Amino acid sequence: MTRRLTVAVVYPDLLGTYGDGGNGTILAKRAAWRGIDVDLVHAPSAEPLPRADLYCIGGGEDGPQVRAARCLVDDGTLPAAVADGAAVLAVCAGYQLVGRRFPDAGGQAVEGLGLLDAVTVKGTGRRAVGEVVADPGPGSPRTATGELLPTLTGFENHGGRTTVGAGSAVLARVRSGIGNGDGPGGGPATEGAWSGRVLGTYLHGPVLARNPALADLLLGWATGGDVSLDPLDDGEEQALRAERLAAAPRR
Amino acid sequence: MSGVALGWRSQLAVSAVRLANETSRRLGRGSGTVAGGRAGLAVDPGLLGRLAAGRRVALVSGTNGKTTTTSLLARALTPPGPAAPVACNTTGANMPAGHVAALVAAPQARRAVLEVDEGYLARLVAETSPDVVVLLNLSRDQLDRVAEVRMVAAGWRAALAGVGPATAVVANADDPLVTYAAAPAPAVHWVGAGLVWGADAVGCPACGGRIRTGGGGWACDTCDLARPEVEIELAGDGARMADGGNVALTVALPGRFNRANALMAAVAAAASAPVGGVGPPTLGEALARIATVVEVAGRFSVVDRGGVAARLMLAKNPAGWTAILDLLDEEVAAGRADRPLVLAVNARTADGADPSWLWDVPFERLAGRVVVATGDRCRDLAVRLRYAEVDHVTEPSPPVALHRAGGSGAAVDVIANYTAFSDLRGHR
């Protein structure tokens, strides 16, 4: 069956510092290549947020991040859409602002949307910058066929440290890089968080380019599982994954 | 040394620069400009200011166009005839060690034109007391190691709030971030030099409001930041003065962005202070000198690589890539045939380790062209091109990629980021 799917890139004027718009492009193409009728909308902060099946929230600098959080709280559409079953991919600053609290530029706590049970504080150590490899495990989301996602690969660039509460689950365990930074002394332990159909990660920018299975997981959530997602020829993505997994520093 | 005597420590530091440069050259480690400058600054941390004292200094900064504009401005400030050297860091070594090396290399030069990394502009302004500061544009670039672009703008603004009326600031009024940075300076020459990449200037740098564009201008919808009245602006293939007069721009370097660089350089030259009783060139004289520059640091040069004629173009960030895609469109519109295209992307230290920016480049515009993806990060590029639905071949080795694109004897266009470009030019 065909179904109409709306993918919204949230506030590219505020959140889109690291090529995050690419995630919207990837989701839209992977849906369209399966014969799904897709609308890809870029939703500016000055306008009411449209209803969508799948929202992509990107990274941004401290000031725009706070502004985006305020706009989204005032607008109210995103929490309502999530309550109705919409899916969310939130990366980096976007991940922080869908949690309960995150720090502004001065380190003061700002209220987030509370779509994930996660709290971010300003890290005390160095900014986390570099390649990340993280392995899904028990508690990680399952694909439509009940499998774990393959190993996640990406690039992180953030100063925050995030603790995931009991109301959400971690996305994966860090093999290389920092991720949530919830290990001893702000060191690596877990990466990302998810609950329901909301997924947050520090793998910033075009995380879906390296993790097509994650893209398909989100598409499955957004279509409510009522569309079968035929396999695509992901040879180029697999070549990129192999190269990046080999390049990540080992611990 | 430009009429200002250096103390013993600075003289020792200058000797250290020369010695380090000489050693570096002998060891075959390039021209050694940066190594020498570092050695000099280690001996005398105040060396840069002492070397600049007594000279007229022009600083050029911005995300894109720095090297080209620096070169054009140096030419514009060089009168015809012998013996008026201008000190200039033409190698692209745009941090203080490179500035020291450039000044040591030209002890007789009464003028210096220095390309400055965006993050070092405040320091250069403080230490060199420039008579001209040229601010081209600001957009996202190498975010894994360079401060976010708004922080750069704020740093510039703080530095320029402290300059006096003897410092002429030549600023691109079409860039809201540059406008915000330059506004507190007492003597600003506003130039309408265009904006290739507006995505980083949607949020107001002053108040966080929304920048709205239209009618050739822009304004914040919340505070009073807006495009200032300009002295001169790009118009068609030339420029238009505030009084409506037209100015022809003859620029050998291709593309609208190079006309912008030329206009900024010419206004800066005309705004420069006199040296030894000789005034700066007029705008017309400056433009006439700029018209004689046919190549800057290998950009747009045509090289032969294994029998393939390749035109080398440098693009380091989304704004730079977009400008080159605009140029290709301009050329097609002017009747130039499509050439096979080699795209070369690395992510080494000088490039930034994170090629996420590939997703900000509108590669969709290349649909229908012959494209070969190459460089250390050709796999990232290949995935980007797949989702842009641009047919392509992926070949990690740049020489092989050139052969695949131009093996049939066709001339090839190459767009490469920093280290990929340097490798292809053949002197790293």
Side-chain angles (χ1 to χ4, degrees):
Chain A
M1 65 176 277
T2 55
R3 185 182 182 285
R4 208 166 176 80
L5 181 76
T6 302
V7 177
V9 176
V10 177
Y11 300 169
D13 51 322
L14 297 175
L15 302 169
T17 314
Y18 294 96
D20 306 288
N23 291 322
T25 304
I26 291 166
L27 290 164
K29 292 287 182 193
R30 294 184 75 82
W33 290 337
R34 270 100 166 212
I36 299 173
D37 229 347
V38 193
D39 273 330
L40 175 62
V41 294
H42 291 85
S45 62
E47 290 164 24
L49 192 70
R51 279 285 183 152
D53 304 294
L54 178 46
Y55 292 92
C56 297
I57 311 177
E61 301 176 29
D62 295 335
Q65 180 189 21
V66 171
R67 195 176 161 83
R70 295 225 172 96
C71 289
L72 286 170
V73 168
D74 292 349
D75 178 89
T77 303
L78 185 64
V82 167
D84 291 346
V88 177
L89 169 66
V91 306
C92 204
Y95 169 35
Q96 295 177 352
L97 72 79
V98 298
R100 295 194 185 283
R101 287 188 300 283
F102 65 94
D104 68 11
Q108 294 295 308
V110 177
E111 286 295 307
L113 290 166
L115 301 177
L116 290 175
D117 184 8
V119 172
T120 302
V121 298
K122 218 174 173 70
T124 50
R126 281 198 324 152
R127 219 175 145 76
V129 182
E131 294 281 334
V132 184
V133 178
D135 295 307
S140 299
R142 304 265 170 175
T143 66
T145 51
E147 291 159 63
L148 285 175
L149 293 172
T151 299
L152 299 171
T153 161
F155 197 94
E156 65 182 337
N157 186 350
H158 58 98
R161 297 293 181 266
T162 301
T163 308
V164 180
S168 293
V170 301
L171 180 61
R173 310 224 41 111
V174 174
R175 195 197 307 173
S176 182
I178 301 295
N180 289 331
D182 53 348
T190 71
E191 155 51 29
W194 74 287
S195 46
R197 291 173 174 171
V198 179
L199 188 149
T201 176
Y202 274 119
L203 307 186
H204 81 196
V207 54
L208 301 181
R210 294 197 196 179
N211 301 284
L214 179 57
D216 287 350
L217 175 79
L218 292 162
L219 285 175
W221 287 356
T223 54
D226 59 356
V227 177
S228 72
L229 297 173
D230 300 329
L232 297 172
D233 176 4
D234 289 334
E236 293 191 300
E237 287 87 340
Q238 296 307 331
L240 173 60
R241 285 176 60 77
E243 179 200 289
R244 291 293 93 208
L245 288 169
R250 284 159 210 271
R251 284 193 287 124
Chain B
M1 184 72 56
S2 308
V4 175
L6 292 177
W8 66 270
R9 192 182 183 90
S10 301
Q11 289 181 23
L12 186 66
V14 168
S15 303
V17 176
R18 296 209 170 104
L19 182 66
N21 279 348
E22 190 55 33
T23 309
S24 179
R25 261 192 294 272
R26 282 213 196 112
L27 293 173
R29 291 185 190 150
S31 63
T33 52
V34 173
R38 279 204 195 110
L41 285 168
V43 174
D44 177 9
L47 183 60
L48 181 53
R50 281 185 264 282
L51 288 168
R55 310 198 212 214
R56 298 293 190 188
V57 176
L59 306 177
V60 178
S61 198
T63 305
N64 286 311
K66 292 187 287 288
T67 302
T68 298
T69 305
T70 299
S71 228
L72 298 179
L73 178 53
R75 178 68 63 89
L77 288 171
T78 306
V86 174
C88 190
N89 53 336
T90 47
T91 59
N94 61 13
M95 298 187 204
H99 303 136
V100 163
L103 294 173
V104 167
Q108 305 305 321
R110 305 284 306 273
R111 284 194 193 275
V113 180
L114 300 177
E115 171 188 337
V116 184
D117 177 271
E118 301 91 284
Y120 285 90
L121 185 67
R123 176 169 165 192
L124 266 285
V125 167
E127 294 191 15
T128 68
S129 303
D131 66 309
V132 181
V133 179
V134 183
L135 307 177
L136 298 168
N137 49 64
L138 277 176
S139 66
R140 58 188 70 182
D141 184 36
Q142 297 179 29
L143 288 162
D144 63 301
R145 63 185 189 84
V146 178
E148 291 168 329
V149 64
R150 271 155 209 287
M151 290 169 61
V152 174
W156 281 15
R157 183 176 166 94
L160 295 168
V163 303
T167 297
V169 176
V170 177
N172 180 2
D174 288 326
D175 188 323
L177 289 165
V178 166
T179 301
Y180 170 71
V188 185
H189 298 261
W190 296 109
V191 179
L195 185 65
V196 169
W197 176 263
D200 292 313
V202 181
C204 175
C207 76
R210 189 173 167 81
I211 300 285
R212 300 201 178 270
T213 55
W218 56 267
C220 175
D221 66 4
T222 306
C223 74
D224 58 4
L225 191 71
R227 183 182 192 253
E229 294 284 322
V230 297
E231 291 182 12
I232 190 168
E233 63 189 346
L234 289 177
D237 289 341
R240 185 171 48 229
M241 311 280 292
D243 65 9
N246 288 313
V247 176
L249 287 180
T250 308
V251 183
L253 306 171
R256 185 171 199 265
F257 53 95
N258 277 321
R259 293 199 291 280
N261 294 335
L263 184 60
M264 293 291 285
V267 172
S272 299
V275 162
V278 180
T282 64
L283 188 74
E285 287 166 344
L287 284 169
R289 292 173 190 168
I290 284 168
T292 65
V293 177
V294 295
E295 191 193 307
V296 173
R299 290 146 170 81
F300 308 101
S301 62
V302 177
V303 299
D304 184 304
R305 293 287 177 268
V308 176
R311 179 171 64 155
L312 303 183
M313 297 183 277
L314 173 67
K316 296 184 281 196
N317 47 48
W321 281 83
T322 303
I324 299 287
L325 298 181
D326 288 347
L327 167 67
L328 296 179
D329 285 351
E330 257 187 69
E331 291 180 337
V332 168
R336 190 175 191 267
D338 264 14
R339 293 174 165 193
L341 202 49
V342 173
L343 309 179
V345 172
N346 291 347
R348 300 178 195 169
T349 305
D351 305 305
D354 176 15
S356 291
W357 55 266
L358 286 169
W359 292 83
D360 286 329
V361 179
F363 285 111
E364 286 78 2
R365 291 167 58 181
L366 296 177
R369 296 184 73 123
V370 174
V371 174
V372 181
T374 189
D376 298 349
R377 298 306 288 270
C378 63
R379 306 286 174 204
D380 297 79
L381 180 56
V383 171
R384 173 69 189 97
L385 292 171
R386 161 168 151 85
Y387 287 97
E389 302 198 84
V390 174
D391 287 338
H392 58 276
V393 170
T394 307
E395 168 50 57
S397 159
V400 178
L402 283 175
H403 187 73
R404 290 187 76 159
S408 60
V412 172
D413 273 343
V414 181
I415 313 176
N417 71 341
Y418 193 76
T419 64
F421 179 88
S422 299
D423 277 353
L424 283 161
R425 260 189 95 194
H427 32 114
R428 264 169 60 73

